[in-house]
Each structure stands twice: as structure tokens, then as C-alpha cells.
Amino acid sequence: MTSLTYTPPDAGGRPGPFAIPTGLLIGHSWRDSTSGARIEIVNPSTGETLTAVADCGVAEGIAAVDAASAAAADWAATPPRKRADILFACFHAMMAEQEWLAQLISLENGKALSDARGEVAYAAEFFRWYAEEAVRITGEMGIAPGGANRILVQYQPIGVALLITPWNFPAAMATRKIAPALAAGCTCILKPAEETPLTALAVAEILRRAGVPAGVINVINASDPGPVCSAILHDTRVRKLSFTGSTEVGRILLREAADTVVSASMELGGNAPFLVLDDADLDAAIEGAMVAKMRNAGEACTAANRFYVQRGIHDRFVEKLVARMGAMAVGAGCDPATQCGAMINQASIDKIERLVADAIAKGADVRLGGATLERAGFFYPPSVIANVQPGSAILEDEVFGPVAAIIPFDDIEDAIRLANATDYGLAAYVYSADLKNALQIAERIECGMVAVNRGLVSDAAAPFGGMKQSGLGREGSHHGLTEYCEIKYIAVSW
Ligand code: ADP
């Protein structure tokens, strides 16, 4: 198959079906790469090739910088209300295409349609949230303590931004960066993950049709992203890098950004602890665990990776979690009956197998699943491994799959110490009926985000980001907008 076309379920008033672009968006037009090279896209639910997208080289990366740079001054000067109107149009355009965008996400990522539908709504919400923020970029005015002058502070667009996104949320990770960049008045170059470029290309076409001016969003894909992104970051017209992906690649990019002192926002890996105290509402904790562990089949940097469960509730928690996870329908992402979709690729399966084998070798008990499914595509079943021993690799490295590793504890001080015994610090979950106790624990956990008595932290209106080696900066909320702003101070005498 070389092109994918989606027909919206009803044609009323909408632009109508279009072939999903597979080229590079540079300026206002889609083009092929000069080398003619293409990247094959695989359907993880079958292992079959879906289509192929243009593979860009350094020259096209710089052409994207040219386009973003040419559009920068006009976009920065576009009145905030006009930018907000365009962002609102993007929100409505994405929501109008929610169903087929969800199908496209399921097709190339393998996630269940229900997860994909949720992702499109979450992704579109960034446009609505930042449409509202675009007209609320204020400044400050103060008087110097000596009284000699006024201190005028302005927020200006930081400039051309390079946005690099991962494959696990191909729509939301892109819009979480594009929307605040555009709201702030920046133009951008999006470099999606090579596993899932189709969603980003479709979203870019939707945004283009919704009225985003030429050059404001450019999209490139690269099978070898290192040299292309390095060249872009070394072009002094580029002033911002926003990256979501592994801590390993984040470190490489921070070094690259250092050469031209580019402002870098980094959303990196996680290793989320999920604490359940004896006094927790068991059913609520199970509901939360299902979301925190099984949303996106565990392929989320916020996914619960280590369940620390207090002894008094431990056995009942394990039993109920096994029952709930064991009842999930595993299957192709696009099958509406599926609750747990495919993993992204064989490397992902290999990593899960390695971590599970290590935990078993060190003394863990497999209570559910624990072995790759023998079928076409990349499927690992919902799995529960209990009694995971200290020193097991799964406690140090995010499994990024549907595997719940459970560790009993007696003393809450031990649980807090274990929760913090990691270089990561993205998300954590705490379940307790004693809100005062839960909030005190939340304050002591070294994570950027803590969910108390709930299994989900993501919200366009909330500051998403990590401590320690989980990242720098925040996305979403007003804080996400300021990542794309430069603070300008003007000393004024009058
Ligand atoms: P994951 O392990 O989740 O695949 P990665 O960190 O490898 O995460 O990838 C996240 C994003 O970073 C993808 O878009 C990928 O293409 C990109 N990427 C990987 N290596 C580099 C690099 N050296 N320079 C720039 N981008 C990179």
C-alpha cells in the first residue's frame, strides 16, 4: 500500500477525505526527499508494512529551518486574538476527524481504539487550552527599588523551535508542543518518531487546512535523526528544542543544544511508583491501577512501573488486579473489542521479556501472563508478577508494557524510600483514605507529578514534567507556554 485515504463517516460541512500525506511538509507544500529515500511503516498488530514516508536528509532539515525562519516574523506579529482563532480552528478540525485519526493511531501504533480515541481528544485539547492562553500572555511592570526607573518585563516568542516526539502518543506529544509554540508566536519544525509518522503528517495536514499559515509548522521524518537534528540545532536561527523520548537520547540532545546554547525542554523516561496503603479503598485502587498500568498497554512514561502495596491489603490487591488484567481482551489495535493492543515492535517485546526473566530469576512469582503471545504482530499479554525482589532490573528500568511488578511493604517510610530510590522522577501514584497522610507522602516523593487516589495525571491544563533525570521544564498549563517565551526586561526612565 502506498497511500492511505480515510473517508470521514459523515461528509456534512467538512473538508472531506484526503490521502494521508507521506512527504515532508516544508513551507506550504508537501514534497518528497531529494534522495527519494523512504521509511517503511509497519502495522504492529500484524507485522505488515503499511506504507512508507519520505526520509529526509540534512539539506531538507535546513530547508525546514529556512521555511520556519521565513515565517517567524509574521507569525510573531500576528495579533494574539488571530493566533487564538487559528488554534481554536485546529481544535475543532481535529475533533471533527477524531474517529479516523483514532483509527490511524491504532493502525500505526497498535494501541486499542479506545486508547486512541482518548488520545485524540487529549491531543486536540492542547489547541483549545492554548487558544485560550494565547490572549493571556501578560507582562510585568515594577519600580526599581532605588526609584530611578521602571522595570518593564515582556514575554516574547523565543524563536524557531525544533520539536522531537516519540511513538507512544503520536498525536498528543506533537500537539502538546505545537500548540504552546504557536500560541507564544513561534514557528516550528516537528520531527515525529520514525515508527509512527503518519499521525503527525495527518495532523499537520488538518492544521494546514484549518488555517495555520505556510512555514509556521514544518514536518520532517528521518530514519537517521541524529545528523539531521544536529544540523538543525547548530543552525543559529533555531532557538528552542522541545524533546519527548528516552533519557539516553535526551542527554545526547542536551549536549547538541549546548553548542549554540539552545533553550531545551526535556520530557524523558519515568519509573513511576504506585503506593497502596492499608487504608486505601481497594476498588478505587484497582480502578486507578488499571488506568495507570494499562492505559496505552503500559506504553506511557507515566505508567505505573512499581506497585508498592502495604501488607494488610497486598493479597487482596494482587488477586483483584490479576482478575481485572486477566479479563482484558488482547488484540489488534483497530479491533473495537480490543482492550490491550500490540506493542510497538520486536525491540519492545525483547525488553519486556528481558525484564520479566530477570525478575523471575531473582525470585518473583508470575501470577498472570509472563510470556510473549505466539501470533503475528507484537503482542505481550497483561501480566502480573508479585513478590518482586530488590535488585530486579524491572524496578530500575521502565518496562513500557502491560506488566505490573508488585512489591509488598510494611512500613510507609520504607515505601517512600524505595519510591525515591531511582534516578527518574516523573509521575507517582498514592492511594490512601487518609488525605492528610497521602498529601504528606505526595510532598515527599521526588516526582514532578503525583496522583492522589486517581490513576491519571495528564491534563492540558496541568504542568506535566519530571524531576531528576526525567526531564527539564513543563508542558501543558501556562507554564508550558512560557517554555516558548523569552523574558525581555526593559529599564525605562520617564
Ligand atoms: P524511544 O526509546 O521511546 O523510541 P527515543 O528517545 O529513541 O525514544 O526516540 C524519541 C524521539 O527521538 C524519536 O523521534 C526519535 O527519532 C528521536 N531520536 C532518536 N535519536 C535521536 C538523535 N540522536 N537525535 C535526534 N533525535 C533522535
Side-chain angles (χ1 to χ4, degrees):
M1 199 188 300
T2 51
S3 79
L4 298 167
T5 305
Y6 277 84
T7 308
D10 83 74
R14 285 193 275 149
F18 58 82
I20 292 162
T22 57
L24 311 168
L25 179 59
I26 296 178
H28 202 57
S29 54
W30 293 97
R31 62 167 91 157
D32 213 340
S33 59
T34 25
S35 69
R38 294 182 84 77
I39 310 170
E40 286 206 345
I41 311 306
V42 170
N43 177 351
S45 300
T46 62
E48 288 164 1
T49 300
L50 282 170
T51 184
V53 300
D55 186 4
C56 113
V58 167
E60 289 118 330
I62 297 303
V65 178
D66 292 341
S69 183
D74 277 356
W75 184 246
T78 301
R81 175 60 71 204
K82 179 90 197 303
R83 293 207 295 265
D85 286 345
I86 292 173
L87 289 168
F88 271 123
C90 294
F91 165 73
H92 291 297
M94 266 190 86
M95 287 310 287
E97 309 298 356
Q98 181 179 16
E99 187 54 28
W100 76 254
L101 263 180
Q103 287 174 18
L104 180 62
I105 292 172
S106 288
L107 195 64
E108 70 169 348
N109 169 281
K111 70 173 72 178
L113 255 182
S114 52
D115 282 330
R117 289 184 185 122
E119 181 183 345
V120 179
Y122 175 51
E125 186 59 28
F126 285 101
F127 288 113
R128 180 156 64 173
W129 172 265
Y130 282 109
E132 291 160 345
E133 285 297 293
V135 291
R136 285 164 182 68
I137 305 173
T138 55
E140 298 149 33
M141 169 83 107
I143 301 177
N149 61 287
R150 300 294 193 274
I151 295 170
L152 179 64
V153 177
Q154 260 186 343
Y155 290 80
Q156 296 184 330
I158 196 165
V160 173
L162 172 63
L163 315 176
I164 304 177
T165 53
W167 48 261
N168 62 338
F169 290 93
M173 296 304 96
T175 60
R176 191 161 80 176
K177 298 182 190 308
I178 295 169
L182 267 54
C186 298
T187 60
C188 62
I189 300 147
L190 173 67
K191 212 292 296 158
E194 47 276 34
E195 293 86 350
T196 56
L198 297 172
T199 304
L201 295 168
V203 167
E205 177 62 9
I206 290 171
L207 305 185
R208 203 175 69 86
R209 290 172 179 229
V212 174
V216 171
I217 298 173
N218 305 276
V219 187
I220 55 170
N221 285 293
S223 59
D224 186 9
V228 178
C229 293
S230 177
I232 292 174
L233 286 172
H234 284 87
D235 187 314
T236 53
R237 294 171 294 177
V238 175
R239 299 310 312 144
K240 179 76 200 178
L241 165 65
S242 180
F243 171 75
T244 299
S246 61
T247 297
E248 196 187 5
V249 173
R251 281 193 199 98
I252 295 172
L253 288 168
L254 278 171
R255 287 191 199 104
E256 294 277 352
D259 289 340
T260 42
V261 192
V262 166
S263 161
S265 300
M266 296 271 141
E267 205 269 275
L268 308 176
N271 182 8
F274 190 109
L275 273 56
V276 186
L277 275 60
D278 277 344
D279 67 355
D281 175 332
L282 178 60
D283 290 334
I286 292 292
E287 282 310 319
M290 290 300 292
V291 176
K293 180 72 257 178
M294 294 308 299
R295 187 172 68 110
N296 241 28
E299 292 180 321
C301 48
T302 51
N305 202 49
R306 304 168 286 152
F307 288 83
Y308 293 106
V309 185
Q310 206 163 12
R311 196 81 59 182
I313 199 171
H314 174 271
D315 292 356
R316 285 176 294 142
F317 180 86
V318 173
E319 194 183 315
K320 282 207 166 199
L321 192 63
V322 165
R324 282 292 297 276
M325 285 175 59
M328 292 185 87
V330 181
C334 289
D335 179 345
T338 294
Q339 293 168 305
C340 176
M343 301 292 97
I344 190 71
N345 54 26
Q346 188 57 41
S348 188
I349 294 279
D350 292 346
K351 180 179 182 186
I352 298 169
E353 284 181 346
R354 179 172 58 76
L355 293 177
V356 170
D358 171 80
I360 294 170
K362 291 189 170 125
D365 308 324
V366 177
R367 301 293 294 271
L368 177 72
T372 302
L373 298 180
E374 294 297 328
R375 55 187 281 182
F378 311 111
F379 289 95
Y380 202 91
S383 302
V384 177
I385 50 173
N387 202 23
V388 175
Q389 298 297 309
S392 300
I394 200 167
L395 304 180
E396 279 145 33
D397 199 357
E398 54 183 346
V399 65
F400 234 68
V403 180
I406 305 183
I407 308 98
F409 73 87
D410 294 299
D411 180 1
I412 188 63
E413 289 302 318
D414 287 340
I416 295 171
R417 186 178 47 75
L418 291 168
N420 287 336
T422 168
D423 288 334
Y424 296 105
L426 190 63
Y429 305 84
V430 181
Y431 272 82
S432 168
D434 180 346
L435 197 56
K436 179 178 170 193
N437 194 22
L439 290 173
Q440 283 174 348
I441 294 168
E443 283 190 1
R444 292 175 60 195
I445 291 190
E446 297 161 356
C447 281
M449 301 174 284
V450 184
V452 172
N453 293 331
R454 55 180 281 113
L456 186 69
V457 288
S458 305
D459 191 316
F464 188 108
M467 292 181 178
K468 302 199 281 191
Q469 294 182 34
S470 283
L472 297 169
R474 294 294 180 265
E475 295 193 286
S477 79
H478 188 72
H479 300 283
L481 182 71
T482 59
E483 302 276 326
Y484 295 91
C485 295
E486 197 70 86
I487 298 176
K488 166 76 61 73
Y489 147 55
I490 305 173
V492 198
S493 293
W494 71 62

